[in-house]
Amino acid sequence: MATYIVLTSFTEQGIRNIKETTKRADAVKALAKKFGATAKEFFWTLGSYDVVAIFEAPDDASMTALGLAIGAGGNVRTQTLRAFPRDEMNGVLAKLA
């Protein structure tokens, strides 16, 4: 499974309904399963992003579909980063030889 970090910002709709944010995170966790993904953790943050989430998904296409489904809800805008754990990065580096 590939790891993804999703940086999230509330839309106007999302901030108007801020009291529902943890319930929406639970709904995203359930939604992720429909795409073969797992929502590992959600962090509500200070700074440039409102929520940072960590997901695992079988491939980029599944994660992209999940991201589009989340965005279609209208509460957040997302930026998705593919993340490489140490062992996976060592595999990437080995290809440089």
Side-chain angles (χ1 to χ4, degrees):
M1 294 283 262
T3 302
Y4 300 86
I5 298 169
V6 179
L7 307 174
T8 306
S9 299
F10 294 128
T11 61
E12 287 184 37
Q13 173 182 308
I15 199 69
R16 266 195 316 270
N17 300 308
I18 192 62
K19 291 182 179 180
E20 303 297 317
T21 187
T22 56
K23 291 178 185 172
R24 289 195 304 261
D26 292 340
V28 166
K29 199 170 214 175
L31 179 64
K33 291 179 184 178
K34 294 180 181 180
F35 294 91
T38 303
K40 302 298 277 180
E41 194 70 61
F42 293 89
F43 299 96
W44 284 262
T45 58
L46 301 175
S48 298
Y49 297 96
D50 299 307
V51 180
V52 175
I54 300 171
F55 290 85
E56 287 182 348
D59 51 54
D60 291 347
S62 298
M63 190 62 212
T64 300
L66 173 58
L68 292 170
I70 293 168
N75 293 300
V76 295
R77 287 182 178 42
T78 63
Q79 182 177 357
T80 302
L81 308 171
R82 173 66 165 89
F84 297 88
R86 181 185 187 91
D87 289 345
E88 202 171 337
M89 189 62 197
N90 281 333
V92 170
L93 295 172
K95 294 177 186 284
L96 295 175

